[in-house]
Short mmCIF file of all heavy atoms in Angstrom, two decimals:
data_model
loop_
_atom_site.label_atom_id
_atom_site.label_comp_id
_atom_site.label_asym_id
_atom_site.label_seq_id
_atom_site.Cartn_x
_atom_site.Cartn_y
_atom_site.Cartn_z
N PHE A 29 109.27 107.41 110.62
CA PHE A 29 110.18 106.34 111.00
C PHE A 29 109.80 105.07 110.25
O PHE A 29 108.63 104.69 110.19
CB PHE A 29 110.07 106.13 112.51
CG PHE A 29 110.96 105.07 113.06
CD1 PHE A 29 112.34 105.16 112.94
CD2 PHE A 29 110.42 103.99 113.73
CE1 PHE A 29 113.17 104.18 113.47
CE2 PHE A 29 111.24 103.00 114.27
CZ PHE A 29 112.61 103.09 114.14
N LEU A 49 107.49 93.17 108.22
CA LEU A 49 106.78 91.88 108.26
C LEU A 49 107.70 90.75 108.69
O LEU A 49 107.25 89.69 109.10
CB LEU A 49 106.18 91.58 106.88
CG LEU A 49 105.03 92.51 106.48
CD1 LEU A 49 104.71 92.36 105.00
CD2 LEU A 49 103.80 92.21 107.32
N LEU A 67 99.30 97.67 110.78
CA LEU A 67 98.95 96.88 111.96
C LEU A 67 97.69 96.02 111.77
O LEU A 67 97.51 95.04 112.48
CB LEU A 67 98.78 97.80 113.17
CG LEU A 67 98.73 97.18 114.57
CD1 LEU A 67 99.96 96.35 114.85
CD2 LEU A 67 98.58 98.25 115.64
N LYS A 68 96.86 96.37 110.82
CA LYS A 68 95.72 95.50 110.58
C LYS A 68 95.89 94.70 109.29
O LYS A 68 94.94 94.12 108.77
CB LYS A 68 94.41 96.29 110.56
CG LYS A 68 94.30 97.43 109.59
CD LYS A 68 92.91 98.05 109.75
CE LYS A 68 92.62 99.19 108.78
NZ LYS A 68 93.61 100.25 108.79
N GLU A 77 99.44 83.77 113.13
CA GLU A 77 98.78 82.48 113.28
C GLU A 77 99.78 81.33 113.19
O GLU A 77 99.56 80.27 113.76
CB GLU A 77 97.67 82.32 112.22
CG GLU A 77 96.49 83.23 112.50
CD GLU A 77 95.55 83.38 111.31
OE1 GLU A 77 95.79 82.76 110.25
OE2 GLU A 77 94.57 84.13 111.44
N VAL A 82 106.33 85.37 117.97
CA VAL A 82 106.20 86.78 117.61
C VAL A 82 105.06 87.42 118.39
O VAL A 82 103.93 86.94 118.38
CB VAL A 82 105.95 86.94 116.09
CG1 VAL A 82 105.73 88.41 115.74
CG2 VAL A 82 107.13 86.39 115.31
N GLU A 92 94.37 98.30 125.68
CA GLU A 92 92.92 98.56 125.78
C GLU A 92 92.42 99.42 124.64
O GLU A 92 91.38 99.14 124.04
CB GLU A 92 92.60 99.26 127.11
CG GLU A 92 92.58 98.35 128.31
CD GLU A 92 91.73 97.10 128.07
OE1 GLU A 92 90.59 97.24 127.58
OE2 GLU A 92 92.23 96.00 128.33
N TYR A 100 91.33 95.66 115.08
CA TYR A 100 92.58 95.15 115.64
C TYR A 100 92.34 94.00 116.63
O TYR A 100 93.26 93.59 117.32
CB TYR A 100 93.37 96.28 116.32
CG TYR A 100 93.69 97.42 115.38
CD1 TYR A 100 92.96 98.61 115.43
CD2 TYR A 100 94.69 97.29 114.43
CE1 TYR A 100 93.25 99.65 114.55
CE2 TYR A 100 94.98 98.32 113.55
CZ TYR A 100 94.26 99.50 113.62
OH TYR A 100 94.54 100.51 112.75
N GLN A 153 124.01 95.26 121.59
CA GLN A 153 124.40 96.41 120.76
C GLN A 153 124.27 97.74 121.50
O GLN A 153 124.24 98.80 120.89
CB GLN A 153 123.58 96.44 119.47
CG GLN A 153 123.74 95.19 118.62
CD GLN A 153 125.20 94.87 118.32
OE1 GLN A 153 125.91 95.69 117.73
NE2 GLN A 153 125.66 93.70 118.77
N GLU A 173 114.15 106.67 136.64
CA GLU A 173 115.09 105.74 137.29
C GLU A 173 115.86 104.89 136.29
O GLU A 173 117.08 104.76 136.40
CB GLU A 173 114.30 104.84 138.26
CG GLU A 173 115.17 103.84 138.98
CD GLU A 173 114.33 102.76 139.69
OE1 GLU A 173 113.12 103.02 139.92
OE2 GLU A 173 114.89 101.70 139.98
N GLU A 213 90.77 128.68 133.86
CA GLU A 213 90.28 130.02 134.15
C GLU A 213 89.22 130.46 133.14
O GLU A 213 88.16 130.96 133.51
CB GLU A 213 91.46 131.01 134.15
CG GLU A 213 91.05 132.42 134.55
CD GLU A 213 92.20 133.42 134.44
OE1 GLU A 213 93.36 132.98 134.34
OE2 GLU A 213 91.91 134.63 134.44
N LYS A 261 86.45 101.98 129.03
CA LYS A 261 85.68 101.20 130.00
C LYS A 261 86.53 100.50 131.05
O LYS A 261 86.05 100.21 132.13
CB LYS A 261 84.73 100.23 129.29
CG LYS A 261 85.40 99.17 128.50
CD LYS A 261 84.34 98.26 127.84
CE LYS A 261 85.01 97.19 127.03
NZ LYS A 261 84.51 97.13 125.64
N GLN A 277 77.84 121.21 131.16
CA GLN A 277 78.30 122.51 130.66
C GLN A 277 79.62 122.41 129.89
O GLN A 277 80.05 123.39 129.28
CB GLN A 277 78.45 123.51 131.82
CG GLN A 277 77.10 124.04 132.33
CD GLN A 277 77.30 124.97 133.51
OE1 GLN A 277 77.43 124.50 134.64
NE2 GLN A 277 77.34 126.26 133.24
N ILE A 330 94.02 132.71 123.29
CA ILE A 330 93.85 133.77 122.30
C ILE A 330 92.40 133.79 121.84
O ILE A 330 91.85 132.74 121.50
CB ILE A 330 94.79 133.54 121.09
CG1 ILE A 330 96.25 133.71 121.52
CG2 ILE A 330 94.45 134.50 119.96
CD1 ILE A 330 97.24 133.41 120.41
N GLY A 387 120.65 96.55 94.24
CA GLY A 387 119.30 95.99 94.24
C GLY A 387 118.24 97.06 94.21
O GLY A 387 118.52 98.24 94.08
N ASN A 392 110.52 105.77 97.68
CA ASN A 392 109.54 106.42 98.54
C ASN A 392 110.29 107.20 99.59
O ASN A 392 111.50 107.20 99.64
CB ASN A 392 108.63 105.37 99.19
CG ASN A 392 109.44 104.41 100.03
OD1 ASN A 392 110.32 104.83 100.78
ND2 ASN A 392 109.18 103.13 99.90
N SER A 403 129.05 111.74 116.58
CA SER A 403 130.04 111.48 117.63
C SER A 403 129.96 112.49 118.76
O SER A 403 130.93 113.12 119.11
CB SER A 403 131.44 111.49 117.03
OG SER A 403 131.64 112.71 116.36
N ASN A 411 130.51 122.04 126.37
CA ASN A 411 129.08 122.10 126.67
C ASN A 411 128.36 121.36 125.56
O ASN A 411 128.46 121.71 124.40
CB ASN A 411 128.67 123.58 126.68
CG ASN A 411 127.17 123.73 126.79
OD1 ASN A 411 126.45 122.75 126.94
ND2 ASN A 411 126.71 124.96 126.70
N LYS A 434 107.07 117.66 95.52
CA LYS A 434 106.74 118.09 96.88
C LYS A 434 107.32 117.18 97.95
O LYS A 434 107.35 117.54 99.11
CB LYS A 434 105.23 118.16 97.05
CG LYS A 434 104.61 119.38 96.42
CD LYS A 434 103.12 119.26 96.49
CE LYS A 434 102.46 120.59 96.77
NZ LYS A 434 101.02 120.47 96.79
N VAL A 439 116.64 111.84 100.72
CA VAL A 439 116.32 110.57 101.35
C VAL A 439 117.61 109.87 101.70
O VAL A 439 118.40 109.56 100.83
CB VAL A 439 115.51 109.65 100.40
CG1 VAL A 439 115.27 108.31 101.06
CG2 VAL A 439 114.19 110.31 100.04
N GLU A 443 121.12 101.78 106.62
CA GLU A 443 122.12 100.80 106.29
C GLU A 443 121.43 99.50 105.95
O GLU A 443 120.44 99.13 106.56
CB GLU A 443 123.03 100.56 107.49
CG GLU A 443 124.38 101.20 107.32
CD GLU A 443 125.28 100.80 108.45
OE1 GLU A 443 124.83 100.85 109.61
OE2 GLU A 443 126.41 100.42 108.18
#
Side-chain angles (χ1 to χ4, degrees):
Chain A
F29 181 61
L49 292 167
L67 194 56
K68 56 179 183 307
E77 289 165 1
V82 176
E92 282 311 312
Y100 302 103
Q153 301 306 301
E173 179 193 340
E213 184 185 345
K261 64 180 180 233
Q277 285 177 277
I330 292 176
N392 60 44
S403 55
N411 172 5
K434 283 173 142 178
V439 177
E443 255 187 314

